[in-house]
Amino acid sequence: MAGLSTRHLLGIKDLNAADIQLIFETADTFKSVLNRPIKKVPSLRDVTIANIFFENSTRTRLSFELAEKRLSADVVNFAASSSSVSKGETLIDTVNNILAMKVDLVVMRHPYAGAGVFLSKHVKAQIVNAGDGAHEHPTQALLDAFSIREKYGDVAGKKVVIVGDILHSRVALSNILCLKQLGAEVMVCGPTTLIPKYIGSLGVKVEHDLIKALNWCDVANMLRIQLERQDIKYFPSLREYTMLYGLNKQILDGLNKEITVMHPGPINRGVEITSDVADSKQSIILDQVENGVAIRMAVLYLLAGQA
C-alpha cells in the first residue's frame, strides 16, 4: 500500500488529494473495526505515543487517546499545567525529555501557531498537530470532510458554508484547505470583523447574510465564538451575534431545501446554534465525533508505518 507523502501531519497544506483519499480509505477500514464487538487491533503494538497538550481539550484528547488504544499503542499523557513547563522549561527540552524515554510519535496541541512546525525541525519523532493557536487543526478538517463524504457519498461539488468566528478559528482554515482539495465549493459567513481580510485569496466566497448563505449551501458548519483568543470586542454583544448569526429551528425549517448541520465542538448552545438544531435529524455532530476516532486511527497508523 502506498504511504503518505509527508512524515508529519502539521497541517492540511502538507497533504495532497491522494494523501487525503488514502486517509479516508484507511478510516473506512478502521470504522468497521470500531463497529465490531472487539474494537481493538494490534496494528501499533510496541509503538509509544505521547499526547502533549498545552491547551485544554476534551474531544480531541479523548479521541486521540481512544484511537491510540484501539490500535494497541502504549500511551503517555502530558498536561502542561502540571508539568515542568510551569517552572520555565522550554518546549524543545520538554519534548526531548519525553523522547529520551523512547517515545515514537508525538501528538501536540499548543496555543501558538507554528509550534508543530518548529518542533518537527528540532526533534526526531513524528509530530501530529492536534491544533496550534488560530493556525490549523488538520484532523478536525479530515473528520469533517470524511463525515460529508459519508453523508453524501462524495465531497466534490458539495457547497459548504462555514459560519462564525473565521478570524480566530484553526478549524476554519483547515476545513477550507481540505474541502478545496476535494473539490467542494466553500463559503464563509459572519460579521465583517470576524472575517479575515484576505480570505478571498483562498478561493472562497464571502457572505454576511446568514439566510442567503444557508439557502446556498448543502452543509453548514457552525463555529463557536473563540472568546479566549479575542483581546478586543469584535461585536457589540453575544445576544446581537445570536440574533444575526445564530442558527435556530425556525430558520432551519424556513430554508428552501434540507441542509446538513455540523459543529466541531464545543457547542455554545443558544449562541451559534440552538439545542433543537444540534439534536435534530439534520445534525451529524455526533457522527463527526464517532468519525474522529476512525480518522485519527488512520492518521496514526499511516504515519507510524513510515517509521
Side-chain angles (χ1 to χ4, degrees), residues 45-76:
R45 186 179 290 163
D46 298 326
V47 173
T48 304
I49 302 175
N51 297 317
I52 304 178
F53 278 65
F54 292 86
E55 274 189 330
N56 293 334
S57 173
T58 304
R59 272 155 310 285
T60 302
R61 184 168 182 164
L62 286 176
S63 184
F64 266 112
E65 189 173 344
L66 197 55
E68 291 150 8
K69 289 180 176 177
R70 294 284 188 247
L71 292 166
S72 303
D74 297 316
V75 181
V76 179

Side-chain angles (χ1 to χ4, degrees), residues 31-163:
K31 186 156 185 186
S32 67
V33 169
L34 294 173
N35 289 318
R36 297 188 325 207
I38 298 173
K39 299 175 176 63
K40 205 164 188 176
V41 289
S43 305
L44 295 189
R45 186 179 290 163
D46 298 326
V47 173
T48 304
I49 302 175
N51 297 317
I52 304 178
F53 278 65
F54 292 86
E55 274 189 330
N56 293 334
S57 173
T58 304
R59 272 155 310 285
T60 302
R61 184 168 182 164
L62 286 176
S63 184
F64 266 112
E65 189 173 344
L66 197 55
E68 291 150 8
K69 289 180 176 177
R70 294 284 188 247
L71 292 166
S72 303
D74 297 316
V75 181
V76 179
N77 287 314
F78 168 95
S81 57
S82 56
S83 74
S84 293
V85 171
S86 59
K87 301 174 186 176
E89 187 173 65
T90 67
L91 173 62
I92 293 176
D93 284 338
T94 298
V95 176
N96 275 329
N97 275 293
I98 293 168
L99 295 182
M101 302 174 202
K102 306 306 176 189
V103 168
D104 303 295
L105 205 145
V106 172
V107 176
M108 185 176 76
R109 169 167 287 188
H110 201 279
Y112 296 122
V117 176
F118 171 77
L119 195 63
S120 70
K121 294 175 180 176
H122 291 86
V123 301
K124 293 179 181 178
Q126 291 168 287
I127 311 294
V128 178
N129 178 11
D132 57 335
H135 180 225
E136 278 222 48
H137 192 350
T139 56
Q140 181 68 47
L142 289 166
L143 75 89
D144 287 347
F146 184 79
S147 300
I148 294 171
R149 170 180 173 267
E150 185 179 66
K151 172 80 175 178
Y152 291 100
D154 197 2
V155 179
K158 296 295 170 287
K159 296 179 177 179
V160 183
V161 64
I162 304 170
V163 182

Side-chain angles (χ1 to χ4, degrees), residues 253-271:
D253 292 341
L255 300 177
N256 57 24
K257 59 180 175 181
E258 189 170 289
I259 66 167
T260 299
V261 178
M262 304 175 72
H263 197 301
I267 301 172
N268 289 322
R269 290 176 183 252
V271 181

